[in-house]
Amino acid sequence: MVKFWSLLKGEILRLWRYKITLFGLLVSAIWLVIIALVSEAEANSLLPQILMLDSGLMAIILLAAAYYYEKQEGTMKAVLVAPTSPVILLMAKVAGALLGSIVSLFLIWLTMFITHGTMFPILPALGFIVLVTLSHLSLGYVLIYLSRDFMDLLIKYTFVVLILFIPIILVNLEVIPVSWRWLALFSPTFAGQQALSHLWVPLRTESLIITILFLIGYPSILFPLYVLPEFRKEAISA
Amino acid sequence: MANLYEIRDLNYRYNIKQDYVVKRLNLDIKEGQIFGLLGPSGAGKSTTQKVLIKLLPGYEGSVLFKGKPLKTLTQTFYEDIGVGFEMPVHFNKLTADENLKYFSSLYKKKINYRSLLVRVGLGEAIHQPVGQYSKGMKMRLNFVKALLNDPQVLFLDEPTNGLDPSNARIIKDIILEEKKKGKTILITTHLMGDVEELCDEVAFIAHGELLETATPKSLKLKYGRREIKVEYSDQQQLKSVVLPLDGLSNHGLFQQILKDNRIITMHSQETSLDKIFIEITGKKHG
């Protein structure tokens, strides 16, 4: 556990020095300005999408930027010859990325309170943000390992984002019948947005449980079966 | 001395479609010695080192570390291992102090790295981002990083590469001091000067195969020519002759030179390790 905190501390410092945290905060600042400028009702309707974009899709970009800096410097190899396991190292990296989403959530929560005097339930929001970020980070790692370089990743990312948004569009246009809507949950972006919407418009309990299970599914399958073996392989070859 | 590593029939290839980069390697590395792994670029030295530091687990054959199979050892194995990679690996936007503090925090045992930084000439650059360092400074920081946990076994890949003679001297002195403390040091290099000065035993590898294992001295005896080169002045002209060292005192020409000419220089013709390196690695694959 001591190793995890040491690695996380190092990761936080690294993300700050490489200006990845700063970039994340600048993006958050855009959301804060939007929230402050619109009415309370508009802010409440926008928040699930904003939180989804920030903790899901932005997290992938920030993770990729941090990864390519590290790959360039080959530093992961140096950590692997220290008495710490690749699992702990990966956990620290994921926790570092997660922290960015959590900070952003608190800033948004605080802005809602300061500018509109309303608060959304922070603890359930925190839980959903963790799930949304983890599911998107697991996809982010898959994209990283399937890409040659950062540019290649950006191209693939654009394509994947399009695919992730198709279910949201189809559901909003009511193209998918209600009885088949669960299929849209295969998109973690749709599942994330649905879970976050629950903070304002409660879902039926069984719908909420299924949504959460889909969100848990991605990281539970991808991290141990694909990300971790690739993480080790890539770290050594860097 | 007991064996630290016992390597038997080690084979390694990066993927199933490729040829083996390490082939049927058999090697013993004794505790407390400086062992040189030598060979031309792409010979399989770094791959062998990566196997020995458990970075490449998918090898064939057997590797024992202190009598235990390497594959069975846990991450605590690294508490006593220090690794200096050939290409310095640092977080370039962090200072030297931040880099060392981060890596040091991963070990139970720690040294006072500040005094070591001062010794290798980086004392004043400790709070400077590593990205602003020269190649030589990064190499020296890389070396300090390898010693952070006061390791019992030290792996150094080209430790003096890119260093000026005075800084290379400091690094070599520290390596010799570490050896005196009873540590085992494995050096991967193609700089024969370092090998001659530092190594107790060397192994030559080319194309993934072990070609020869010996002490530098015995290699010189084996491959060296017992000859002497004499430069002398003969009627205002500088001349030179190479004579056999054995029976030199009775050699007619030598006696004549001594009697009739002024000797300018006289050097034994020891074969350098550079020549031995070329001869050994070129003999089989040249």
Side-chain angles (χ1 to χ4, degrees):
Chain A
M1 209 54 196
V2 177
K3 302 276 166 64
F4 172 77
W5 291 115
S6 297
L7 288 166
L8 178 59
K9 217 169 110 186
E11 190 64 18
I12 292 167
L13 177 66
R14 197 176 71 85
L15 293 175
W16 178 252
R17 284 293 170 79
Y18 285 76
K19 296 189 170 59
I20 290 162
T21 306
L22 183 70
F23 184 72
L25 287 172
L26 284 175
V27 173
S28 298
I30 296 170
W31 310 134
L32 303 184
V33 170
I34 292 171
I35 292 166
L37 291 179
V38 299
S39 68
E40 186 193 338
E42 284 169 327
N44 279 329
S45 69
L46 281 174
L47 276 174
Q49 283 86 359
I50 286 177
L51 289 171
M52 180 60 240
L53 284 173
D54 195 69
S55 60
L57 301 177
M58 268 310 294
I60 294 179
I61 288 290
L62 298 179
L63 174 83
Y67 171 84
Y68 282 103
Y69 269 125
E70 198 158 14
K71 187 172 181 177
Q72 217 172 5
E73 293 174 343
T75 40
M76 267 193 276
K77 189 167 60 180
V79 183
L80 285 183
V81 294
T84 181
S85 72
V87 180
I88 303 278
L89 178 57
L90 181 62
M91 274 168 61
K93 296 206 169 295
V94 170
L98 203 55
L99 215 59
S101 299
I102 293 170
V103 168
S104 192
L105 168 71
F106 277 106
L107 289 175
I108 289 169
W109 183 80
L110 210 61
T111 306
M112 273 302 280
F113 179 66
I114 293 167
T115 58
H116 300 295
T118 55
M119 288 185 288
F120 54 87
I122 190 73
L123 281 179
L126 184 64
F128 292 143
I129 287 294
V130 169
L131 290 179
V132 169
T133 309
L134 286 179
S135 59
H136 283 79
L137 286 181
S138 63
L139 277 183
Y141 269 114
V142 173
L143 272 177
I144 284 170
Y145 296 134
L146 293 177
S147 306
R148 285 188 308 276
D149 49 40
F150 193 60
M151 281 313 291
D152 188 35
L153 177 126
L154 286 180
I155 295 164
K156 287 192 170 83
Y157 173 78
T158 312
F159 181 68
V160 167
V161 167
L162 199 69
I163 292 172
L164 293 176
F165 266 96
I166 287 172
I168 297 175
I169 296 164
L170 294 179
V171 168
N172 283 343
L173 293 174
E174 297 182 351
V175 174
I176 303 178
V178 177
S179 56
W180 290 94
R181 263 190 197 175
W182 62 272
L183 277 174
L185 291 169
F186 278 102
S187 158
T189 308
F190 177 81
Q193 195 178 305
Q194 182 151 298
L196 289 163
S197 298
H198 174 75
L199 298 169
W200 287 271
V201 185
L203 293 168
R204 288 201 329 264
T205 310
E206 61 268 28
S207 292
L208 181 65
I209 291 169
I210 292 170
T211 304
I212 289 172
L213 285 176
F214 268 93
L215 283 175
I216 291 172
Y218 272 95
S220 310
I221 294 167
L222 289 177
F223 274 118
L225 297 182
Y226 181 77
V227 178
L228 192 62
E230 287 297 316
F231 178 78
R232 197 187 154 86
K233 215 192 300 174
E234 284 278 317
I236 294 165
S237 69
Chain B
M1 277 187 284
N3 282 335
L4 183 76
Y5 278 102
E6 286 171 46
I7 305 160
R8 297 288 176 268
D9 295 322
L10 176 69
N11 291 297
Y12 189 85
R13 57 179 163 183
Y14 283 94
N15 72 54
I16 206 149
K17 289 175 193 161
Q18 282 181 339
D19 285 341
Y20 285 98
V21 286
V22 177
K23 300 164 195 163
R24 297 178 303 280
L25 189 73
N26 287 287
L27 208 57
D28 288 335
I29 299 171
K30 294 180 188 74
E31 275 185 77
Q33 70 169 187
I34 300 182
F35 192 93
L37 208 51
L38 320 177
S41 301
K45 309 185 296 282
S46 294
T47 302
T48 305
Q49 179 177 311
K50 281 181 180 172
V51 168
L52 298 185
I53 57 175
K54 266 172 74 68
L55 268 184
L56 299 175
Y59 58 85
E60 296 165 21
S62 141
V63 180
L64 300 182
F65 178 79
K66 291 183 179 175
K68 290 178 186 161
L70 193 66
K71 281 179 180 172
T72 64
L73 301 177
T74 63
Q75 292 299 114
T76 53
F77 162 77
Y78 292 113
E79 288 287 358
D80 272 329
I81 303 285
V83 183
F85 291 104
E86 183 183 2
M87 299 299 287
V89 279
H90 309 294
F91 297 112
N92 284 326
K93 297 200 178 182
L94 267 58
T95 65
D97 190 39
E98 286 165 340
N99 265 282
L100 296 177
K101 205 179 276 175
Y102 171 70
F103 284 106
S104 183
S105 70
L106 303 175
Y107 296 95
K108 282 182 192 157
K109 207 164 41 172
K110 302 167 205 302
I111 59 156
N112 174 12
Y113 59 76
R114 281 166 191 266
S115 56
L116 197 54
L117 274 181
V118 170
R119 189 161 172 206
V120 300
L122 295 175
E124 286 176 14
I126 188 168
H127 297 301
Q128 202 177 316
V130 176
Q132 293 173 8
Y133 275 25
S134 66
K135 190 191 171 193
M137 288 166 89
K138 285 182 181 173
M139 282 302 296
R140 283 177 275 155
L141 182 61
N142 201 40
F143 180 74
V144 173
K145 189 150 71 64
L147 290 168
L148 272 180
N149 53 325
D150 192 19
Q152 281 305 304
V153 187
L154 195 52
F155 286 86
L156 300 171
D157 201 343
E158 309 282 359
T160 60
N161 197 11
L163 295 184
D164 61 69
S166 58
N167 278 315
R169 180 71 267 151
I170 294 169
I171 298 296
K172 284 189 271 189
D173 285 345
I174 298 172
I175 292 172
L176 290 168
E177 285 167 27
E178 292 298 310
K179 189 211 160 186
K180 274 186 191 162
K181 291 180 196 166
K183 298 179 178 186
T184 311
I185 300 151
L186 199 137
I187 295 178
T188 311
T189 186
H190 56 258
L191 297 173
M192 292 302 119
D194 287 1
V195 170
E196 204 159 351
E197 201 174 334
L198 299 172
C199 294
D200 299 307
E201 196 173 357
V202 293
F204 284 92
I205 296 181
H207 297 264
E209 290 177 51
L210 179 69
L211 304 180
E212 183 137 10
T213 315
T215 64
K217 198 176 173 182
S218 64
L219 279 174
K220 280 188 159 187
L221 286 172
K222 184 177 172 185
Y223 289 90
R225 289 168 297 157
R226 291 181 50 78
E227 289 172 340
I228 192 161
K229 185 181 182 185
V230 182
E231 282 185 327
Y232 61 97
S233 160
D234 183 11
Q235 293 173 351
Q236 307 295 337
Q237 276 188 317
L238 185 69
K239 291 185 174 175
S240 70
V241 65
V242 176
L243 302 168
L245 202 57
D246 297 313
L248 183 67
S249 57
N250 298 322
H251 196 282
L253 180 57
F254 185 66
Q255 283 180 339
Q256 195 184 335
I257 292 167
L258 282 176
K259 192 178 157 196
D260 302 337
N261 306 95
R262 193 165 76 89
I263 292 177
I264 309 293
T265 63
M266 205 156 72
H267 293 292
S268 62
Q269 294 291 86
E270 273 185 323
T271 300
S272 69
L273 273 179
D274 277 319
K275 284 181 184 166
I276 296 172
F277 178 95
I278 294 166
E279 195 171 339
I280 293 176
T281 57
K283 197 192 286 175
K284 187 162 182 180
H285 299 279

